[in-house]
Amino acid sequence: MSLGASLRSARTKAKLSAEDLAALASITVEQLERFERGELSLTAREVDRCASALGFRLHDLETWTGKEPPLSVLLRDSLGSDFDLADGIALEVHAGLGEFQRTVRDIAELESLLGIKGDRVPQIPRSTESSGGARGEELADRVRKHLELDLEPIPSMRKLIEETLGIAVIWVSAEHLDPSVDGASTNWSRPAIMANLLEANRYPWRARTTLAHELCHVLFDYAQRGTLFSPARRIWPLGGQARGPALPAPLLEIETVARAFSACFLAPTAGVRRAVGKMDPLSEQAIHRVGETYGVGRQVAINRLSKVFHLSREHRSTMESRSPEPYFADFSGDEVAMVDGFRGDPLRSLVRRALVAGKIRPARARQALALGANDPLPFPELGELAAPAIPRSETIRRIAQAVLRERYPDEDLEALRVLEEDGAFRVVIYDGGVGSTEQRRRGHVEITASGEVSDIHLQLPGAAE
Amino acid sequence: VTCVPYQQTVKSSCVAACIVIAEAWRGRAATEAEWHAGAGPKGLPLRTAAALPGTRFLCASDSRDLIVALGQDRIAIATVSGPAWTAWIEGTHPALQSPHGRLAAPGPLGGPLHSIVLCEHSGGAFRAIDPWFPPAGQPLTIDDDDFERVWAGEAVLFER
């Protein structure tokens, strides 16, 4: 099947209209439809954007047999509904989720090549008689029990998720993902969580909450396979006035449960009671005690106190209206020093391992890290293995060749040799066609170190010599 | 219809031989002699092939656009660096011998240039026909890494 036919087939399976996919890929509908029919060739960058919108890598389209589920199928599987993805999610969100999905595919593929069995996600019964927040609390208690956490604080959510449960965590920021999304998770092709590190001044509390929230999705929201995203609270406050487009009802219920889960998992009810002891639960001291003990932010601490001690709405407002004072507790295990985006760790480390182990070649490494053949791999310590596939001299030769094609389209000129002189380049030009056994030097093109053509000296055939 | 190898009869006629292969793939008759006539030892520039209907000239900094085009049921005549291509052939297919002798002294990317036909890309590798060599054992399989190290950055894409 051609790439265009695969794309059309995958798009149809994803129930994405040509208009939606064209918008996601920043091309016109006509371009997309002609590409699908094999009448037009798009650039690799354009086809890559189409693939990304489906959660695929470009080479997934090359080998697509109809079995791999596109992103929107995974979302529908999780929600058990047939909502129209294009109506519910902004283009930026969709693009971010697509990138997340294909990063997870890369991680799973590299782990398989390296023989790593990462997934240690436990099967914990998901059925409860409760719903909403009560269900979230019940599930959180089950997980705490399963992990034998009792009422103890969780020193590092990151360690728990990555090392104990083998769930891959991908850190992104507003630079990589629309801020209307807090995070996302999937169990396809392996369990993974994406955490959008917003509001840097709230680290690590925000990251801990997001990780716990996504953990709930991974543990309880995928019957077989699925992907979910978590709308940002400031845009979709549950029970409040949403500032974003209406979310589908199943997602609202799932989110209510996951928000309760994250708070109760980090700060369990009995633990909050024990921590507060005889303090006034309305006091600033109680807020600090809960936050410092369990590593949660002020708002989560207030929410937990309100819930555990059945505080009135007025009491809660009073607590929220007080000027907050910073509290200190060591949850540095959940601080994220650097956010490299989708193609940072854990993917980058896996790429390096696979490369060193000889499981992949540099071209596959570049593909996974979204680099071109002219780019070095980000592992300078690997020497030649990390060097660009196309050396600088060849890039310079192609620049000269392109200039010749543009300025002398009717002349048979070939840029064949590159000489480096004091950081600049001289590309020697010969006449004759490809395969010529009789070539004559016709001059040279001077190119600066930055790749700009600075001078052309040519003696064209037919001109006086 | 797949690409059927064809061996060039003259040392400098690789482009004409590639046109024969590409046109046969499209179900059109072409002969090396008619295309190479007049070119002599200087060979044909690649743009000669780009003048045919249903073709497109591609000039790129890496092979990604070429891979996408091949995935769209196109084939391509691509220029390769003679020294780099010879180094790859001698390293991977030492038994391949041509009545024309050695294409070039093995070396890094750079001239003189040679042309080959790319019939397909799948599984991280290209399937290529080199008219310098006899048809037996062709197409050759060259992976993405090795191809980047031999391709000279230009190609003419043929659609059916």
Side-chain angles (χ1 to χ4, degrees), chain A residues 164-214:
Chain A
T164 308
L165 301 176
I167 299 170
V169 179
I170 297 163
W171 301 96
V172 297
S173 65
E175 184 188 333
H176 316 100
L177 183 68
D178 193 76
S180 63
V181 169
D182 272 346
S185 64
T186 187
N187 69 344
W188 189 268
S189 320
R190 69 161 339 281
I193 284 172
M194 170 172 66
N196 196 2
L197 284 174
L198 306 164
E199 300 175 75
N201 59 341
R202 291 172 69 182
Y203 295 171
W205 324 124
R206 179 71 181 257
R208 287 169 60 79
T209 306
T210 302
L211 290 177
H213 182 110
E214 298 306 327

Short mmCIF file of all heavy atoms in Angstrom, two decimals, chain A residues 164-214:
data_model
loop_
_atom_site.label_atom_id
_atom_site.label_comp_id
_atom_site.label_asym_id
_atom_site.label_seq_id
_atom_site.Cartn_x
_atom_site.Cartn_y
_atom_site.Cartn_z
N THR A 164 9.34 1.61 40.61
CA THR A 164 8.55 0.52 41.21
C THR A 164 7.55 -0.05 40.21
O THR A 164 7.40 -1.26 40.11
CB THR A 164 7.80 1.04 42.46
OG1 THR A 164 8.74 1.66 43.32
CG2 THR A 164 7.11 -0.10 43.19
N LEU A 165 6.88 0.86 39.47
CA LEU A 165 5.81 0.38 38.58
C LEU A 165 6.24 0.26 37.11
O LEU A 165 5.50 -0.28 36.29
CB LEU A 165 4.60 1.31 38.68
CG LEU A 165 4.00 1.45 40.09
CD1 LEU A 165 2.87 2.46 40.09
CD2 LEU A 165 3.50 0.11 40.59
N GLY A 166 7.41 0.77 36.79
CA GLY A 166 7.92 0.63 35.41
C GLY A 166 7.11 1.42 34.40
O GLY A 166 7.06 1.06 33.22
N ILE A 167 6.51 2.51 34.84
CA ILE A 167 5.74 3.36 33.91
C ILE A 167 6.67 4.46 33.41
O ILE A 167 7.31 5.15 34.21
CB ILE A 167 4.51 3.98 34.62
CG1 ILE A 167 3.57 2.86 35.11
CG2 ILE A 167 3.78 4.95 33.69
CD1 ILE A 167 2.46 3.35 36.02
N ALA A 168 6.76 4.62 32.11
CA ALA A 168 7.64 5.66 31.56
C ALA A 168 7.03 7.03 31.80
O ALA A 168 5.82 7.21 31.66
CB ALA A 168 7.83 5.43 30.07
N VAL A 169 7.85 7.99 32.20
CA VAL A 169 7.36 9.36 32.42
C VAL A 169 8.06 10.30 31.44
O VAL A 169 9.29 10.35 31.38
CB VAL A 169 7.60 9.83 33.86
CG1 VAL A 169 7.10 11.26 34.03
CG2 VAL A 169 6.89 8.92 34.85
N ILE A 170 7.26 11.02 30.69
CA ILE A 170 7.78 11.98 29.72
C ILE A 170 7.43 13.38 30.23
O ILE A 170 6.26 13.68 30.45
CB ILE A 170 7.16 11.73 28.33
CG1 ILE A 170 7.57 10.34 27.83
CG2 ILE A 170 7.57 12.82 27.34
CD1 ILE A 170 6.71 9.82 26.71
N TRP A 171 8.46 14.19 30.44
CA TRP A 171 8.24 15.53 30.98
C TRP A 171 8.20 16.53 29.83
O TRP A 171 9.11 16.59 29.02
CB TRP A 171 9.36 15.92 31.94
CG TRP A 171 9.50 15.00 33.10
CD1 TRP A 171 10.36 13.95 33.21
CD2 TRP A 171 8.75 15.02 34.31
NE1 TRP A 171 10.20 13.32 34.41
CE2 TRP A 171 9.22 13.95 35.12
CE3 TRP A 171 7.73 15.84 34.80
CZ2 TRP A 171 8.70 13.69 36.38
CZ3 TRP A 171 7.23 15.57 36.06
CH2 TRP A 171 7.70 14.51 36.83
N VAL A 172 7.15 17.32 29.81
CA VAL A 172 7.07 18.39 28.81
C VAL A 172 6.70 19.68 29.52
O VAL A 172 6.35 19.67 30.71
CB VAL A 172 6.03 18.06 27.70
CG1 VAL A 172 6.43 16.83 26.91
CG2 VAL A 172 4.64 17.89 28.29
N SER A 173 6.78 20.78 28.79
CA SER A 173 6.38 22.06 29.37
C SER A 173 5.51 22.77 28.34
O SER A 173 5.26 22.23 27.26
CB SER A 173 7.62 22.90 29.70
OG SER A 173 8.29 23.22 28.51
N ALA A 174 5.12 23.99 28.67
CA ALA A 174 4.22 24.72 27.77
C ALA A 174 4.86 24.93 26.40
O ALA A 174 4.17 25.16 25.41
CB ALA A 174 3.87 26.06 28.39
N GLU A 175 6.17 24.80 26.35
CA GLU A 175 6.88 24.93 25.07
C GLU A 175 6.54 23.75 24.14
O GLU A 175 6.58 23.87 22.93
CB GLU A 175 8.38 24.92 25.40
CG GLU A 175 9.31 25.14 24.25
CD GLU A 175 10.75 24.90 24.70
OE1 GLU A 175 11.04 25.06 25.90
OE2 GLU A 175 11.56 24.53 23.85
N HIS A 176 6.20 22.62 24.74
CA HIS A 176 5.94 21.42 23.94
C HIS A 176 4.46 21.05 23.87
O HIS A 176 4.05 20.36 22.96
CB HIS A 176 6.68 20.21 24.53
CG HIS A 176 8.09 20.49 24.93
ND1 HIS A 176 8.47 20.73 26.22
CD2 HIS A 176 9.20 20.62 24.19
CE1 HIS A 176 9.76 20.96 26.27
NE2 HIS A 176 10.25 20.91 25.05
N LEU A 177 3.70 21.45 24.88
CA LEU A 177 2.30 21.01 24.95
C LEU A 177 1.43 22.17 25.39
O LEU A 177 1.80 22.94 26.28
CB LEU A 177 2.17 19.84 25.93
CG LEU A 177 0.78 19.23 26.06
CD1 LEU A 177 0.40 18.50 24.78
CD2 LEU A 177 0.72 18.25 27.23
N ASP A 178 0.27 22.26 24.79
CA ASP A 178 -0.65 23.34 25.12
C ASP A 178 -0.95 23.35 26.63
O ASP A 178 -1.21 22.30 27.23
CB ASP A 178 -1.96 23.10 24.33
CG ASP A 178 -2.83 24.33 24.37
OD1 ASP A 178 -2.52 25.29 23.65
OD2 ASP A 178 -3.80 24.33 25.15
N PRO A 179 -0.94 24.54 27.26
CA PRO A 179 -1.15 24.60 28.71
C PRO A 179 -2.58 24.26 29.14
O PRO A 179 -2.87 24.22 30.33
CB PRO A 179 -0.79 26.04 29.07
CG PRO A 179 -0.85 26.80 27.81
CD PRO A 179 -0.57 25.84 26.70
N SER A 180 -3.46 24.00 28.18
CA SER A 180 -4.81 23.59 28.57
C SER A 180 -4.85 22.12 29.00
O SER A 180 -5.89 21.62 29.40
CB SER A 180 -5.79 23.82 27.42
OG SER A 180 -5.44 23.02 26.32
N VAL A 181 -3.70 21.46 28.90
CA VAL A 181 -3.64 20.06 29.30
C VAL A 181 -2.58 19.89 30.40
O VAL A 181 -1.46 20.36 30.27
CB VAL A 181 -3.27 19.17 28.08
CG1 VAL A 181 -2.94 17.76 28.51
CG2 VAL A 181 -4.43 19.15 27.10
N ASP A 182 -2.97 19.24 31.49
CA ASP A 182 -2.04 18.98 32.60
C ASP A 182 -1.13 17.80 32.31
O ASP A 182 0.02 17.76 32.72
CB ASP A 182 -2.83 18.66 33.87
CG ASP A 182 -3.18 19.92 34.65
OD1 ASP A 182 -2.61 20.98 34.35
OD2 ASP A 182 -4.04 19.83 35.54
N GLY A 183 -1.71 16.81 31.65
CA GLY A 183 -0.92 15.61 31.40
C GLY A 183 -1.71 14.64 30.55
O GLY A 183 -2.82 14.93 30.11
N ALA A 184 -1.11 13.49 30.32
CA ALA A 184 -1.78 12.45 29.55
C ALA A 184 -1.19 11.11 29.95
O ALA A 184 -0.13 11.06 30.59
CB ALA A 184 -1.60 12.69 28.05
N SER A 185 -1.87 10.07 29.57
CA SER A 185 -1.35 8.74 29.87
C SER A 185 -1.83 7.77 28.81
O SER A 185 -2.79 8.05 28.08
CB SER A 185 -1.82 8.27 31.25
OG SER A 185 -3.23 8.15 31.23
N THR A 186 -1.15 6.64 28.75
CA THR A 186 -1.55 5.61 27.79
C THR A 186 -1.05 4.27 28.31
O THR A 186 -0.18 4.22 29.19
CB THR A 186 -0.96 5.88 26.40
OG1 THR A 186 -1.51 4.96 25.45
CG2 THR A 186 0.57 5.74 26.39
N ASN A 187 -1.61 3.21 27.79
CA ASN A 187 -1.01 1.89 28.06
C ASN A 187 -0.61 1.24 26.74
O ASN A 187 -0.35 0.07 26.65
CB ASN A 187 -1.95 0.99 28.86
CG ASN A 187 -3.15 0.54 28.07
OD1 ASN A 187 -3.45 1.12 27.02
ND2 ASN A 187 -3.85 -0.46 28.55
N TRP A 188 -0.58 2.07 25.67
CA TRP A 188 -0.28 1.56 24.34
C TRP A 188 0.84 2.39 23.72
O TRP A 188 0.72 3.59 23.65
CB TRP A 188 -1.54 1.66 23.46
CG TRP A 188 -1.39 0.97 22.15
CD1 TRP A 188 -0.97 1.53 20.98
CD2 TRP A 188 -1.67 -0.39 21.86
NE1 TRP A 188 -0.96 0.60 20.00
CE2 TRP A 188 -1.39 -0.59 20.49
CE3 TRP A 188 -2.11 -1.48 22.62
CZ2 TRP A 188 -1.54 -1.84 19.88
CZ3 TRP A 188 -2.27 -2.69 22.00
CH2 TRP A 188 -2.00 -2.85 20.64
N SER A 189 1.96 1.85 23.37
CA SER A 189 2.33 0.45 23.30
C SER A 189 2.91 -0.05 24.62
O SER A 189 3.29 -1.22 24.74
CB SER A 189 3.39 0.25 22.22
OG SER A 189 3.14 1.01 21.09
N ARG A 190 3.03 0.81 25.61
CA ARG A 190 3.47 0.44 26.95
C ARG A 190 2.90 1.50 27.89
O ARG A 190 2.54 2.58 27.44
CB ARG A 190 5.00 0.39 27.06
CG ARG A 190 5.54 1.77 26.94
CD ARG A 190 6.90 2.11 27.40
NE ARG A 190 7.68 1.36 28.32
CZ ARG A 190 7.53 1.38 29.65
NH1 ARG A 190 6.57 2.10 30.23
NH2 ARG A 190 8.37 0.69 30.43
N PRO A 191 2.81 1.21 29.18
CA PRO A 191 2.29 2.22 30.10
C PRO A 191 3.21 3.44 30.14
O PRO A 191 4.42 3.28 30.29
CB PRO A 191 2.24 1.50 31.44
CG PRO A 191 2.30 0.04 31.12
CD PRO A 191 3.10 -0.07 29.86
N ALA A 192 2.62 4.60 30.00
CA ALA A 192 3.43 5.82 30.00
C ALA A 192 2.58 7.00 30.46
O ALA A 192 1.36 7.01 30.28
CB ALA A 192 4.00 6.10 28.62
N ILE A 193 3.27 7.95 31.04
CA ILE A 193 2.62 9.17 31.53
C ILE A 193 3.35 10.36 30.95
O ILE A 193 4.58 10.36 30.85
CB ILE A 193 2.68 9.21 33.08
CG1 ILE A 193 1.66 8.23 33.68
CG2 ILE A 193 2.47 10.62 33.61
CD1 ILE A 193 1.79 8.07 35.19
N MET A 194 2.57 11.36 30.55
CA MET A 194 3.19 12.63 30.13
C MET A 194 2.75 13.68 31.15
O MET A 194 1.55 13.83 31.41
CB MET A 194 2.70 13.01 28.74
CG MET A 194 3.09 14.43 28.32
SD MET A 194 2.70 14.76 26.59
CE MET A 194 0.91 14.71 26.61
N ALA A 195 3.72 14.38 31.72
CA ALA A 195 3.40 15.41 32.70
C ALA A 195 3.79 16.77 32.13
O ALA A 195 4.95 16.97 31.74
CB ALA A 195 4.14 15.15 34.00
N ASN A 196 2.81 17.65 32.07
CA ASN A 196 3.07 19.00 31.57
C ASN A 196 3.44 19.88 32.76
O ASN A 196 2.61 20.16 33.61
CB ASN A 196 1.80 19.53 30.87
CG ASN A 196 2.08 20.73 29.99
OD1 ASN A 196 3.23 21.15 29.86
ND2 ASN A 196 1.05 21.27 29.38
N LEU A 197 4.69 20.28 32.82
CA LEU A 197 5.16 21.03 33.98
C LEU A 197 4.81 22.50 33.86
O LEU A 197 5.59 23.31 33.38
CB LEU A 197 6.65 20.83 34.16
CG LEU A 197 7.01 19.47 34.74
CD1 LEU A 197 8.50 19.26 34.76
CD2 LEU A 197 6.44 19.31 36.14
N LEU A 198 3.63 22.81 34.32
CA LEU A 198 3.15 24.18 34.28
C LEU A 198 3.42 24.81 35.65
O LEU A 198 3.69 24.10 36.61
CB LEU A 198 1.66 24.20 33.98
CG LEU A 198 1.25 23.43 32.72
CD1 LEU A 198 -0.23 23.17 32.70
CD2 LEU A 198 1.66 24.20 31.48
N GLU A 199 3.34 26.10 35.71
CA GLU A 199 3.49 26.82 36.98
C GLU A 199 4.74 26.36 37.73
O GLU A 199 4.67 25.72 38.78
CB GLU A 199 2.25 26.62 37.85
CG GLU A 199 0.99 27.12 37.17
CD GLU A 199 -0.23 26.80 38.00
OE1 GLU A 199 -0.41 27.48 39.02
OE2 GLU A 199 -0.97 25.89 37.64
N ALA A 200 5.87 26.70 37.17
CA ALA A 200 7.15 26.24 37.71
C ALA A 200 7.33 26.57 39.19
O ALA A 200 8.01 25.86 39.91
CB ALA A 200 8.28 26.84 36.89
N ASN A 201 6.69 27.67 39.64
CA ASN A 201 6.89 28.07 41.04
C ASN A 201 6.21 27.12 42.02
O ASN A 201 6.35 27.25 43.22
CB ASN A 201 6.40 29.50 41.26
CG ASN A 201 4.93 29.64 40.94
OD1 ASN A 201 4.36 28.81 40.22
ND2 ASN A 201 4.30 30.68 41.46
N ARG A 202 5.46 26.16 41.49
CA ARG A 202 4.79 25.22 42.38
C ARG A 202 5.46 23.84 42.40
O ARG A 202 4.92 22.91 42.95
CB ARG A 202 3.32 25.08 41.99
CG ARG A 202 2.57 26.37 42.29
CD ARG A 202 1.17 26.33 41.75
NE ARG A 202 0.31 25.39 42.48
CZ ARG A 202 -0.95 25.16 42.15
NH1 ARG A 202 -1.49 25.80 41.14
NH2 ARG A 202 -1.67 24.31 42.82
N TYR A 203 6.64 23.75 41.77
CA TYR A 203 7.36 22.48 41.84
C TYR A 203 7.69 22.20 43.29
O TYR A 203 8.03 23.14 44.02
CB TYR A 203 8.70 22.53 41.08
CG TYR A 203 8.65 22.72 39.61
CD1 TYR A 203 9.84 22.95 38.92
CD2 TYR A 203 7.47 22.68 38.90
CE1 TYR A 203 9.85 23.14 37.55
CE2 TYR A 203 7.46 22.87 37.55
CZ TYR A 203 8.65 23.10 36.87
OH TYR A 203 8.67 23.29 35.51
N PRO A 204 7.80 20.98 43.70
CA PRO A 204 7.41 19.80 42.95
C PRO A 204 5.96 19.39 43.20
O PRO A 204 5.55 18.34 42.77
CB PRO A 204 8.38 18.74 43.49
CG PRO A 204 8.57 19.14 44.91
CD PRO A 204 8.43 20.63 44.98
N TRP A 205 5.21 20.25 43.92
CA TRP A 205 3.85 19.85 44.30
C TRP A 205 2.99 19.55 43.08
O TRP A 205 2.27 18.56 43.03
CB TRP A 205 3.17 20.93 45.14
CG TRP A 205 4.08 21.65 46.09
CD1 TRP A 205 4.28 22.98 46.17
CD2 TRP A 205 4.92 21.06 47.10
NE1 TRP A 205 5.19 23.28 47.14
CE2 TRP A 205 5.61 22.11 47.73
CE3 TRP A 205 5.18 19.76 47.51
CZ2 TRP A 205 6.52 21.90 48.75
CZ3 TRP A 205 6.08 19.55 48.53
CH2 TRP A 205 6.74 20.60 49.14
N ARG A 206 3.10 20.43 42.11
CA ARG A 206 2.29 20.27 40.92
C ARG A 206 2.62 18.97 40.18
O ARG A 206 1.74 18.23 39.75
CB ARG A 206 2.52 21.48 40.01
CG ARG A 206 1.76 21.47 38.71
CD ARG A 206 0.28 21.70 38.96
NE ARG A 206 -0.46 21.68 37.71
CZ ARG A 206 -0.90 22.78 37.10
NH1 ARG A 206 -0.68 23.94 37.61
NH2 ARG A 206 -1.57 22.68 35.98
N ALA A 207 3.93 18.70 40.08
CA ALA A 207 4.36 17.49 39.38
C ALA A 207 3.87 16.25 40.10
O ALA A 207 3.41 15.28 39.47
CB ALA A 207 5.89 17.47 39.27
N ARG A 208 3.93 16.27 41.44
CA ARG A 208 3.48 15.10 42.22
C ARG A 208 1.99 14.84 42.00
O ARG A 208 1.56 13.70 41.83
CB ARG A 208 3.75 15.35 43.72
CG ARG A 208 5.21 15.27 44.09
CD ARG A 208 5.47 15.79 45.49
NE ARG A 208 4.77 15.05 46.54
CZ ARG A 208 5.16 13.87 47.04
NH1 ARG A 208 6.24 13.30 46.55
NH2 ARG A 208 4.48 13.28 47.99
N THR A 209 1.21 15.92 41.98
CA THR A 209 -0.23 15.77 41.78
C THR A 209 -0.52 15.23 40.39
O THR A 209 -1.36 14.34 40.22
CB THR A 209 -0.93 17.14 41.98
OG1 THR A 209 -0.54 17.64 43.25
CG2 THR A 209 -2.43 16.99 41.94
N THR A 210 0.18 15.78 39.40
CA THR A 210 -0.06 15.33 38.03
C THR A 210 0.31 13.85 37.89
O THR A 210 -0.43 13.07 37.27
CB THR A 210 0.78 16.17 37.03
OG1 THR A 210 0.40 17.54 37.19
CG2 THR A 210 0.52 15.75 35.59
N LEU A 211 1.42 13.45 38.46
CA LEU A 211 1.84 12.05 38.36
C LEU A 211 0.82 11.13 39.03
O LEU A 211 0.47 10.08 38.49
CB LEU A 211 3.22 11.86 39.00
CG LEU A 211 4.40 12.49 38.25
CD1 LEU A 211 5.70 12.28 39.04
CD2 LEU A 211 4.55 11.91 36.85
N ALA A 212 0.33 11.53 40.20
CA ALA A 212 -0.66 10.69 40.90
C ALA A 212 -1.96 10.61 40.09
O ALA A 212 -2.59 9.56 39.99
CB ALA A 212 -0.94 11.28 42.28
N HIS A 213 -2.33 11.72 39.51
CA HIS A 213 -3.55 11.78 38.69
C HIS A 213 -3.44 10.83 37.49
O HIS A 213 -4.33 10.01 37.24
CB HIS A 213 -3.72 13.23 38.22
CG HIS A 213 -4.94 13.48 37.42
ND1 HIS A 213 -6.00 14.21 37.90
CD2 HIS A 213 -5.29 13.11 36.17
CE1 HIS A 213 -6.95 14.27 36.97
NE2 HIS A 213 -6.53 13.62 35.91
N GLU A 214 -2.33 10.92 36.81
CA GLU A 214 -2.15 10.07 35.62
C GLU A 214 -2.01 8.60 36.01
O GLU A 214 -2.41 7.71 35.26
CB GLU A 214 -0.93 10.53 34.81
CG GLU A 214 -1.03 11.95 34.25
CD GLU A 214 -2.28 12.20 33.43
OE1 GLU A 214 -2.76 11.27 32.76
OE2 GLU A 214 -2.80 13.33 33.48
#
